[in-house]
Amino acid sequence: MKIEEVILNSLVCNEEFSRKTIPFLKDEYFHESEYKTIFNTINEYVQKYNSLPSEEAISIAISKLPQNDDEQKKCQGVITEIFKVSESPDSEWLINEAEAFCKEKAVYNAILESIHIIDGKSKDKSENAIPSILSDALAVAFDTHIGHDYIEDADERYDFYHKKEKRVPFDLDFLNDITGGGTPSKTLNIIMAGTGVGKSAFLCHHAANCLSQNLNVLYITCEMAEERIAERIDANLMDMTMDDLKELPKQMYDKKMNTISSKMTGKLIIKEYPTASASTNHFRALIDELQMKKKFKPDIIFVDYLNICASARIKGSANVNSYQMIKSIAEELRGLAVEKDVPIWSATQVNRGGFNNSDFGLEDTSESFGLPATCDFMIALISTEELEEKGQLLVKQLKNRYNDTFSNRKFILNVNRAKMKF
């Protein structure tokens, strides 16, 4: 039996297999017309009657189709073949084989479509669509999980409660306390502050801390040049002011860099994009390219900063308000965090009402309340003249899915702006 016949046989003889795979099977995976016709007939029967079809039901349905004698003969031959065996193989093996078959056919179809586009024969798709077409084909998979059974899955739930979640810790005790030991993967975390208060400084400090933990760090900047971000991280890791850094002789600089590199196994990649031109599509392509060319897979991603990114779903010329645009960008960033299994850190501005306020909240988020609605963790950095004189910032929890927001709701951090250290 060919794999197509094994799949069709299992669709009519194995109800468990049929229920789990029909939502993921497509007629385009069956390249020979007789297999495609029979699959469509089985699929239509199952959808209409919610049961598996008999040999007679399929034969009668196909006999009514507008086919020539040769096509009818081929179809009837396959029907006879797939009903010869009434017992199908092990379900797990079957599902794995069917998934491999679908993925192989999806990739084959994607390559053919890409060639069609390159040859200029596609009316509605350009060459820019090819990476997405191939990615979708490679992502073909059967998700056979149909939900958590409260009673039957109690043991799994207990194990989940006691499973140690992977987190990226801070080098600041209060932040570890309020997050339960750091930020988990698949989360979007936001710093909110006014202009010049220290959003980028905080992101650079935490990036330097993550690099010191031997993590791979990807820092995406849409605001400052790559060299400016690296300069801030240099100042932090070398424990020098940025002014002293500029006066440092090359020999001393090389010595300090050698000391830093000898202590770290992680990598830091800084990538600059023009303001308001890059979306998660660009970030995703960058991550894939880094994986392919440098074997670099980030453990944490920083995006500096969210409000000046572009949306992958909403074009810049679209007639939408700032609420929709920023919420869309936030959702896309959080989706990227889930897809790449990493925490993402970004920042946002306070609005005009909160700019000169010595204590602000979620309602003072600039441009869109959709951002705090989407993110997992959000803190505000608040500066006053009194705090500035002492070299301090007030940190206020605004949203926290990791812990109780009212525990350590506010606390003070010392900040050395010259060395970019908190």
Side-chain angles (χ1 to χ4, degrees):
M1 258 189 175
K2 295 169 69 175
I3 182 63
E4 289 91 342
E5 292 175 355
V6 172
I7 291 172
L8 293 175
N9 165 263
S10 301
L11 287 176
V12 295
C13 297
N14 186 328
E15 186 164 357
E16 180 188 2
F17 174 84
S18 185
R19 300 289 181 198
K20 286 183 176 180
T21 60
I22 273 188
F24 306 102
L25 290 168
K26 298 179 181 178
D27 62 358
E28 64 195 51
Y29 299 153
F30 298 90
H31 290 170
E32 295 176 49
S33 61
E34 57 268 31
Y35 296 132
K36 186 178 298 213
T37 301
I38 293 170
F39 168 73
N40 283 329
T41 304
I42 295 170
N43 189 27
E44 288 171 13
Y45 187 96
V46 171
Q47 300 300 331
K48 186 174 182 179
Y49 298 105
N50 197 30
S51 63
L52 302 187
S54 64
E55 183 175 353
E56 292 76 15
I58 298 176
S59 295
I60 292 170
I62 286 177
S63 68
K64 295 177 181 179
L65 297 175
Q67 293 178 312
N68 59 41
D69 291 342
D70 188 46
E71 291 170 334
Q72 282 283 344
K73 189 176 180 181
K74 283 183 179 179
C75 286
Q76 294 299 337
V78 172
I79 293 168
T80 302
E81 192 66 30
I82 66 174
F83 276 96
K84 274 184 180 178
V85 182
S86 58
E87 292 184 7
S88 59
D90 175 70
S91 290
E92 186 178 352
W93 177 87
L94 263 176
I95 290 171
N96 290 337
E97 288 298 310
E99 183 176 6
F101 165 78
C102 292
K103 183 170 285 190
E104 179 188 333
K105 297 301 181 184
V107 171
Y108 178 82
N109 291 344
I111 291 171
L112 286 184
E113 185 178 1
S114 300
I115 294 170
H116 193 72
I117 291 170
I118 291 169
D119 289 342
K121 296 177 181 178
S122 176
K123 294 180 180 178
D124 57 345
K125 291 181 181 176
S126 68
E127 292 184 8
N128 293 331
I130 292 175
S132 177
I133 292 169
L134 293 172
S135 295
D136 290 345
L138 291 168
V140 168
F142 289 1
D143 180 8
T144 56
H145 178 67
I146 54 172
H148 179 88
D149 188 303
Y150 180 75
I151 301 298
E152 292 183 7
D153 296 333
D155 288 342
E156 289 179 23
R157 191 164 64 251
Y158 180 85
D159 292 339
F160 172 79
Y161 294 156
H162 295 82
K163 180 182 178 183
K164 190 172 182 181
E165 192 173 19
K166 177 187 170 186
R167 291 174 181 262
V168 176
F170 300 89
D171 58 349
L172 300 163
D173 291 339
F174 266 113
L175 286 170
N176 281 326
D177 287 344
I178 66 174
T179 57
T183 46
S185 296
K186 304 181 181 181
T187 57
L188 176 62
N189 308 276
I190 299 293
I191 293 288
M192 183 168 78
T195 302
V197 171
K199 299 185 299 296
S200 295
F202 182 91
L203 296 179
C204 287
H205 172 92
H206 192 34
N209 162 54
C210 294
L211 188 60
S212 299
Q213 296 178 50
N214 298 319
L215 300 176
N216 284 336
V217 180
L218 176 59
Y219 197 111
I220 295 169
T221 172
C222 300
E223 185 177 38
M224 287 186 283
E226 295 169 358
E227 294 79 11
R228 290 297 179 194
I229 298 297
E231 178 186 29
R232 291 171 171 227
I233 293 173
D234 270 344
N236 183 292
L237 292 175
M238 294 180 183
D239 197 28
M240 298 178 65
T241 68
M242 289 199 289
D243 288 339
D244 289 342
L245 190 61
K246 292 171 184 174
E247 303 297 326
L248 191 66
K250 180 67 163 66
Q251 187 177 359
M252 288 293 294
Y253 178 80
D254 290 341
K255 185 177 179 181
K256 285 181 176 290
M257 281 305 303
N258 288 335
T259 302
I260 290 171
S261 61
S262 67
K263 294 178 181 177
M264 298 174 185
T265 57
K267 285 185 178 181
L268 167 64
I269 302 292
I270 305 167
K271 174 62 178 174
E272 177 189 1
Y273 288 99
T275 300
S277 68
S279 69
T280 50
N281 285 344
H282 296 85
F283 306 157
R284 187 177 289 107
L286 172 65
I287 293 166
D288 293 341
E289 192 173 1
L290 287 169
Q291 171 71 35
M292 186 168 52
K293 292 181 178 178
K294 291 197 169 189
K295 306 297 181 189
F296 174 91
K297 183 180 178 183
D299 297 304
I300 186 168
I301 299 172
F302 294 86
V303 179
D304 191 2
Y305 62 97
L306 186 145
N307 294 60
I308 53 175
C309 292
S311 170
R313 294 177 292 175
I314 302 174
K315 301 302 178 186
S317 58
N319 185 23
V320 295
N321 56 39
S322 61
Y323 174 89
Q324 293 171 295
M325 179 63 78
I326 300 303
K327 187 173 190 299
S328 176
I329 296 169
E331 289 170 346
E332 291 159 15
L333 278 178
R334 193 175 187 284
L336 182 66
V338 172
E339 178 186 336
K340 299 302 180 182
D341 192 23
V342 296
I344 290 182
W345 274 91
S346 192
T348 190
Q349 300 271 20
V350 295
N351 60 21
R352 230 178 303 178
F355 187 75
N356 294 317
N357 200 337
S358 60
D359 187 9
F360 47 79
L362 289 175
E363 69 280 2
D364 296 303
T365 306
S366 175
E367 297 185 280
S368 176
F369 196 76
L371 171 54
T374 303
C375 70
D376 298 279
F377 179 70
M378 190 171 184
I379 56 174
L381 301 180
I382 301 170
S383 179
T384 63
E385 288 184 10
E386 184 182 354
L387 289 169
E388 191 71 32
E389 287 174 5
K390 296 178 180 179
Q392 296 177 331
L393 283 173
L394 174 66
V395 180
K396 180 181 179 181
Q397 290 190 66
L398 300 178
K399 181 178 182 180
N400 191 343
R401 285 179 175 161
Y402 318 135
N403 216 330
D404 180 10
T405 312
F406 295 96
S407 174
N408 294 317
R409 183 68 182 268
K410 296 179 182 178
F411 53 91
I412 297 291
L413 287 181
N414 292 316
V415 57
N416 185 334
R417 296 183 186 279
K419 294 183 178 180
M420 290 293 145
K421 276 182 177 286
F422 281 75

